[in-house]
Amino acid sequence: MTSTNASQADSYPGPGERTPHADPLFGPGSQFHEFFNDPRWALAVIRATVLEAAHPQIGAALIDNSTFVAHPWRRLQNTFLSLQRMFGADDEVRQREAARLNRLHSRLNGTDARNHPYDAMDPEVRAWVVATLFESTVTMCRLSGQPLEQHTMERLYAEFQAFLAALGDQAGHLPPTLNEFWRYYDRVVEEELENTEALRIILYKLFDHLPAPALLDGLPTVWAAGRALAGPVIGAITVASLPEPFRRRAGLPEIPGAQTLTQTAYLAAGLVRFVPGGWINAEGVASLLALSPESDDPRARTVMAVRDGIKRAGALLRLITPLPAEPEPTTATGSQRSAEEFFRTVLDQTGDGSLDWPDLAAMARELAGRLDLDEPAETRLYAAYAEWWKELQQALDSDGDGRISAEEYAAAVPTLAGPALIKVADVLFDATDADGNQSIDADEYRTLFRTGFQRDLADTGGTYSRSAFVKEFLSFMSGRQRSTAFDPLLAQA
């Protein structure tokens, strides 16, 4: 879209429409499609996430509701999947994903620690999320020495406008022209962004304490060594790439050489684009990081073989490095787990040290997303989790503060498999049983768990009955029994 065409537009291009010179706004041939598998875009997405977190409303929503601290790899994979659906060529898939995102955002509202309201459906908030993705993509190209030409930027901006329009937002939430966008962007950066708690967690906690992805979970020393080197570097690169007025106003540190390091990192990432086609695939990398060691994916077996070799090397590494030892898991042997670990890895989905409604809502959100539920089934799942939350509050919230601490949970030594949790299990079974034949077949199992059957089923014919499914879910959610199916679904990072 040229600037002349953009200035004449009264509204965003609709989903599936094309710009006047017939460039597609979605799918193959779009500008975004060319960037999606660009390795530099990983750095751009991190930068965009920091700019989002600096917005007071978005920062508050992240602190209260997001799983980005406790389950960052799961969050990463879900983000890539959502962007793939929204920017793909299939209009029906895009509309379905837009409806799902709108339902998700409609549930994210409340007040922050200063009693200021936040609402993820606020059109200005949604516009800022899209603005950060667009601007960070432009900055990505500039920092790597390949700035976009004006007409390419205008085409990319039209695609992000169409993305916002696909969500149902009206014209005006993003400026109609690219020139007006830059004035809008500078105003938000200078007047609205803050050094929020969410921003500080991302920059100073998440990078330094990033949990290992599932396939590397058994290599704590190796992961800690790599993280100790990469975490500060990623943080420095991200801070140095942020707009200078915001860095100054937020009091973010100026690290000598950080600007040079940032440009070098973007340039080096850009060089990876020249490896043979198909070697770099954003969705594939994200899904690989989220693979469970028990997965039947051939890539998991390959990585596990490599991991076994790294374990042997890790023994030597522990002898020659001064890194402190990683704490040993507080679990019993075999299939049992401690109450403390269950609370930390399963119940506390947001990673804030307590259990409240956003934690259970995060579970419902993950399950609904995996199953790609429509509105009635998703609402039924959320309602079942809400009833379970009421049951948990009545049983465990001894001080009446509206949340359950790890101490309250451990002191009660609860048996959580009450009527409300049984209802959750039944609703989840119904949602997974897509054909309604009262058994879960291999395809339905894979949709939920992203792997094939991991064990001999009690049933004949290679299916998973309601009773077997409910029994295993309750055993897992009661907090004591591990599960090769549900642990990768709800416990892994």
Side-chain angles (χ1 to χ4, degrees):
M1 178 184 289
T2 65
S3 58
T4 301
N5 289 329
S7 63
Q8 293 173 346
D10 294 325
S11 62
Y12 300 147
E17 294 181 9
R18 294 170 177 250
T19 54
H21 58 336
D23 287 328
L25 292 172
F26 298 110
S30 67
Q31 191 64 52
F32 179 85
H33 189 267
E34 296 180 20
F35 284 129
F36 188 72
N37 289 318
D38 191 320
R40 298 173 298 173
W41 211 61
L43 295 172
V45 168
I46 294 173
R47 180 182 182 276
T49 301
V50 169
L51 288 170
E52 292 171 24
H55 190 287
Q57 287 202 59
I58 300 174
L62 287 173
I63 288 296
D64 286 352
N65 301 279
S66 179
T67 63
F68 76 98
V69 172
H71 303 278
W73 301 110
R74 191 176 77 192
R75 169 74 185 272
L76 174 67
Q77 185 179 22
N78 291 342
T79 298
F80 273 111
L81 177 59
S82 181
L83 286 171
Q84 185 182 53
R85 290 171 174 173
M86 288 297 297
F87 279 97
D90 193 321
D91 208 31
E92 183 177 347
V93 170
R94 179 166 40 258
Q95 292 173 11
R96 185 178 179 86
E97 178 64 10
R100 186 191 71 83
L101 289 174
N102 285 334
R103 293 195 304 270
L104 186 158
H105 292 158
S106 69
R107 295 185 172 99
L108 304 181
N109 53 73
T111 56
D112 63 16
R114 298 177 297 180
N115 208 33
H116 294 165
Y118 66 83
D119 185 352
M121 286 298 288
D122 184 323
E124 297 300 327
V125 170
R126 285 152 66 95
W128 179 246
V129 172
V130 176
T132 62
L133 287 170
F134 166 72
E135 189 275 340
S136 291
T137 305
V138 173
T139 298
M140 160 190 101
C141 296
R142 178 175 57 80
L143 290 176
S144 56
Q146 296 178 318
L148 297 178
E149 296 182 359
Q150 182 71 14
H151 71 88
T152 305
M153 275 195 289
E154 290 172 343
R155 176 182 172 189
L156 183 64
Y157 185 57
E159 293 171 11
F160 277 98
Q161 286 177 306
F163 169 77
L164 195 60
L167 291 172
D169 288 35
Q170 299 301 312
H173 298 149
L174 277 180
T177 68
L178 186 58
N179 287 337
E180 291 173 286
F181 170 82
W182 295 120
R183 292 194 292 272
Y184 152 81
Y185 178 83
D186 290 341
R187 178 188 61 77
V188 175
V189 167
E190 294 178 7
E191 299 178 7
E192 298 186 28
L193 300 192
E194 300 177 2
N195 190 349
T196 63
E197 181 184 358
L199 179 144
R200 294 191 296 273
I201 288 176
I202 293 173
L203 291 179
Y204 305 123
K205 178 180 178 181
L206 182 60
F207 292 150
D208 290 343
H209 300 85
L210 187 69
L215 281 178
L216 299 179
D217 195 40
L219 300 169
T221 303
V222 174
W223 178 254
R227 184 180 59 196
L229 295 173
V233 172
I234 295 173
I237 290 172
T238 303
V239 170
S241 71
L242 296 176
E244 194 276 336
F246 174 67
R247 294 203 314 269
R248 183 177 62 250
R249 189 159 48 84
L252 298 178
E254 292 283 351
I255 301 176
Q259 291 292 344
T260 301
L261 176 63
T262 299
Q263 291 179 312
T264 302
Y266 275 92
L267 180 61
L271 294 176
V272 181
R273 293 175 299 148
F274 298 105
V275 302
W279 284 25
I280 300 296
N281 180 281
E283 183 191 8
V285 172
S287 63
L288 178 62
L289 290 172
L291 277 178
S292 164
E294 292 82 16
S295 174
D296 61 347
D297 191 307
R299 297 175 300 170
R301 293 194 292 271
T302 301
V303 175
M304 286 300 293
V306 174
R307 191 175 90 167
D308 290 341
I310 296 176
K311 276 187 176 181
R312 292 190 290 270
L316 175 62
L317 183 65
R318 285 192 295 272
L319 295 176
I320 63 176
T321 60
L323 290 172
E326 291 283 300
E328 291 297 323
T330 54
T331 62
T333 59
S335 63
Q336 299 298 306
R337 69 179 353 130
S338 70
E340 184 276 334
E341 189 202 6
F342 176 72
F343 187 92
R344 174 175 53 83
T345 62
V346 178
L347 294 180
D348 183 15
Q349 290 283 305
T350 59
D352 63 357
S354 63
L355 171 63
D356 52 13
W357 167 242
D359 295 301
L360 300 194
M363 292 186 201
R365 186 164 65 241
E366 175 66 18
L367 297 170
R370 289 215 182 190
L371 294 171
D372 194 20
L373 300 181
D374 55 17
E375 193 279 331
E378 182 183 275
T379 299
R380 186 171 176 235
L381 183 63
Y382 271 89
Y385 267 98
E387 288 300 315
W388 187 38
W389 170 236
K390 292 178 182 177
E391 186 176 83
L392 287 174
Q393 277 187 299
Q394 292 174 359
L396 305 180
D397 185 14
S398 58
D399 59 9
D401 65 351
R403 56 178 54 197
I404 298 165
S405 67
E407 292 74 18
E408 286 175 324
Y409 170 76
V413 193
T415 300
L416 298 183
L421 185 59
I422 295 173
K423 177 68 172 178
V424 171
D426 275 325
V427 171
L428 181 57
F429 177 87
D430 291 338
T432 307
D433 179 21
D435 58 13
N437 68 350
Q438 297 303 304
S439 66
I440 295 173
D441 61 27
D443 289 338
E444 293 165 340
Y445 189 97
R446 183 175 292 279
T447 298
L448 178 61
F449 297 112
R450 292 176 179 165
T451 187
F453 288 129
Q454 292 292 312
R455 55 179 175 71
D456 294 332
L457 298 176
D459 311 357
T460 58
T463 60
Y464 201 10
S465 70
R466 178 185 294 272
S467 61
F469 181 92
V470 170
K471 179 180 178 181
E472 184 166 353
F473 180 81
L474 294 179
S475 177
F476 171 75
M477 290 304 302
S478 64
R480 294 295 182 267
Q481 196 72 26
R482 293 181 179 276
S483 165
T484 56
F486 289 102
D487 264 291
L489 177 60
L490 292 174
Q492 288 182 349

